[in-house]
Amino acid sequence: MRRGTDGTRLRQAVAGLAALILGAATLVIGGGPAQAAPAAPAGRAPAATVDLSHWMGDMHGYLDDRPLNRVAMPGSHDSGSWSIPADPGLCTSGWSYQVASLDPRLAASISRAQSGSLTEQLDEGARYLDLRLCLEGGQWRTFHGAPMGDVFFDAATGEAAALKRWIDAHPSEVVVIDLSTAAPAGTDRSEPLTRLRDLFGTRVATRTELSPTSPYGDFVKAGKNVVLVDASAAVDQPWAWHADSVSDRGSYPSGDPSWWDILKSFFNGSPPQQIYDQTLSLDQAALNRDPGPDADRFFVLSGIVQPDVQIPQLFMIRPLSPFFPATVRDNYLMYLANGLNPQLVAELRTDWRAPRPAGNMNIVAIDDLGHRPQGDLQRAVIDINTLPDRAT
């Protein structure tokens, strides 16, 4: 045993000496220690790990020369609805005021599409805000249909000031704000858009100098990282981009799925797949379609469910609402979104990575944008920018 141990030690010593000599020889002839794998090129951060609060800047190497309307970016649908309380005030000029007044609590459940503030949505990767404001009692409030949220321009707590701070702190992040308004007849509906222009100042892009097809890098170089879209056609100024600069290319869901199927899904504890199938089929068709004249516009893919047409039917089941789980009864729209969003992730990682859908991808409007594990939905959208056929 002793002999064998000594022999082993001798062989190990010889092997170690040989390795030392070989290493020295390598250095003499110009070699060196093994190099670490090269890092990703500057401005080409991976979508899986990028900081969502400034992903555009971190990924500028993919985006600089790409038209802004071909940058795949997450957006939030009914962005301001997050602040609608359980017992909301109602916008009397909102389109669903009459039916919402029958049961404001139930209307709020159908109207609340987000769970985080506007700046939280931006921090979660959104670069498109679907902002809706209602003039009620002399103040502009966020709203959806009729239920209202917070005062928007309040000096102390209003979100307008918070938006300005975010925009100023993130010059590499180009944000499209699509603003629509509701107000009593005869009211000046241009006020909120004008106030936002004054608030953001020189950061607002003008449609006479830039367009949806202008490269992302041109917006950043010009210091213009806000696009104000006037969805209500209330302002005729170069800084107010026309409503027709945005198109959903037929992806906005507007059908009326079987109410019986929806009702059954409540009691079965599963979301209504029929609604999701409608959304996904419309999205697939829009992504596969040649954009034609829409090629020069922003494209908002509506990755959302549409409960608006179900409002009259939903009131038919008010007597049954105590039997529904609170997650369904109190947050119906986000309940639906939480069933759809994992399916959107699956499509973005598979079918929508094919050349034609991926080539058409631009803004993906999402309900309850922030409540996904590690931002997987936002990252799945952003990752489309890294595909080889989209690289600049």
Side-chain angles (χ1 to χ4, degrees):
M1 291 293 295
R2 179 76 180 174
R3 184 189 297 269
T5 300
D6 288 345
T8 299
R9 288 175 178 171
L10 179 60
R11 287 193 296 272
Q12 290 175 341
V14 172
L17 180 61
L20 182 62
I21 294 172
L22 179 60
T26 302
L27 290 173
V28 170
I29 63 176
Q35 299 296 313
R44 289 180 176 257
T49 58
V50 72
D51 186 331
L52 292 174
S53 67
H54 47 76
W55 65 266
M56 282 182 157
D58 287 354
M59 299 178 71
H60 72 86
Y62 291 108
L63 309 179
D64 278 346
D65 298 325
R66 189 171 304 165
L68 192 61
N69 72 344
R70 288 196 68 248
V71 173
M73 63 180 85
S76 62
H77 172 240
D78 275 298
S79 311
S81 65
W82 72 273
S83 63
I84 294 174
D87 269 316
L90 299 180
C91 174
T92 53
S93 52
W95 73 266
S96 67
Y97 172 72
Q98 294 298 328
V99 67
S101 63
L102 298 175
D103 191 333
R105 289 186 66 91
L106 196 52
S109 174
I110 302 170
S111 300
R112 196 180 305 107
Q114 302 296 333
S115 54
S117 70
L118 297 182
T119 53
E120 287 173 339
Q121 293 167 36
L122 293 171
D123 281 338
E124 289 287 342
R127 295 297 176 264
Y128 168 87
L129 298 178
D130 169 24
L131 182 60
R132 310 184 191 197
L133 298 179
C134 168
L135 182 62
E136 191 70 28
Q139 294 181 307
W140 291 98
R141 292 179 174 271
T142 54
F143 87 112
H144 181 196
M148 295 187 302
D150 290 341
V151 176
F152 187 65
F153 290 104
D154 180 77
T157 60
E159 286 198 283
L163 268 181
K164 172 182 168 48
R165 290 192 295 271
W166 197 96
I167 293 294
D168 287 346
H170 297 79
S172 65
E173 309 306 297
V174 181
V175 180
V176 179
I177 301 177
D178 197 345
L179 176 65
S180 58
T181 58
T187 303
D188 180 11
R189 298 174 66 185
S190 68
E191 181 189 359
L193 201 70
T194 301
R195 291 179 70 171
L196 283 176
R197 188 283 311 267
D198 293 344
L199 192 67
F200 297 138
T202 59
R203 293 198 176 278
V204 177
T206 60
R207 52 184 165 79
T208 52
E209 297 177 348
L210 295 162
S211 74
T213 59
S214 297
Y216 156 81
D218 286 5
F219 282 84
V220 175
K221 289 174 186 175
K224 308 294 185 181
N225 65 324
V226 182
V227 174
L228 292 177
V229 178
D230 180 16
S232 297
V235 179
D236 186 17
Q237 294 291 336
W239 51 264
W241 294 46
H242 294 152
D244 64 4
S245 64
V246 177
S247 171
D248 63 29
R249 299 188 192 175
S251 66
Y252 198 89
S254 58
D256 190 357
S258 164
W259 181 246
W260 177 241
D261 286 341
I262 296 172
L263 188 60
K264 285 193 299 183
S265 75
F266 284 146
F267 290 104
N268 292 339
S270 61
Q273 186 59 41
Q274 186 179 3
I275 295 180
Y276 305 150
D277 290 342
Q278 179 196 72
T279 295
L280 295 172
S281 64
L282 289 173
D283 287 349
Q284 185 74 57
L287 289 168
N288 285 335
R289 190 178 300 120
D290 189 310
D294 284 344
D296 293 333
R297 303 170 180 170
F298 293 113
F299 168 32
V300 179
L301 183 75
S302 295
I304 62 173
V305 295
Q306 173 56 294
D308 295 345
V309 294
Q310 304 158 26
I311 288 178
Q313 297 168 319
L314 193 59
F315 283 106
M316 293 171 57
I317 63 164
R318 281 189 298 165
L320 299 176
S321 62
F323 300 100
F324 297 153
T327 52
V328 177
R329 182 183 65 247
D330 299 335
N331 290 287
Y332 174 61
L333 184 50
M334 286 193 284
Y335 161 78
L336 294 178
N338 289 333
L340 173 65
N341 287 350
Q343 299 183 46
L344 287 175
V345 173
E347 292 291 344
L348 286 160
R349 289 176 173 168
T350 54
D351 293 346
W352 294 352
R353 292 176 72 87
R356 189 174 186 87
N360 286 333
M361 192 72 72
N362 184 203
I363 298 162
V364 182
I366 302 165
D367 285 327
D368 204 15
L369 173 138
H371 276 196
R372 293 292 308 157
Q374 289 77 52
D376 65 344
L377 178 48
Q378 302 94 295
R379 295 182 191 281
V381 175
I382 294 167
D383 192 50
I384 297 292
N385 294 303
T386 71
L387 297 179
D389 61 331
R390 289 177 63 92
T392 55

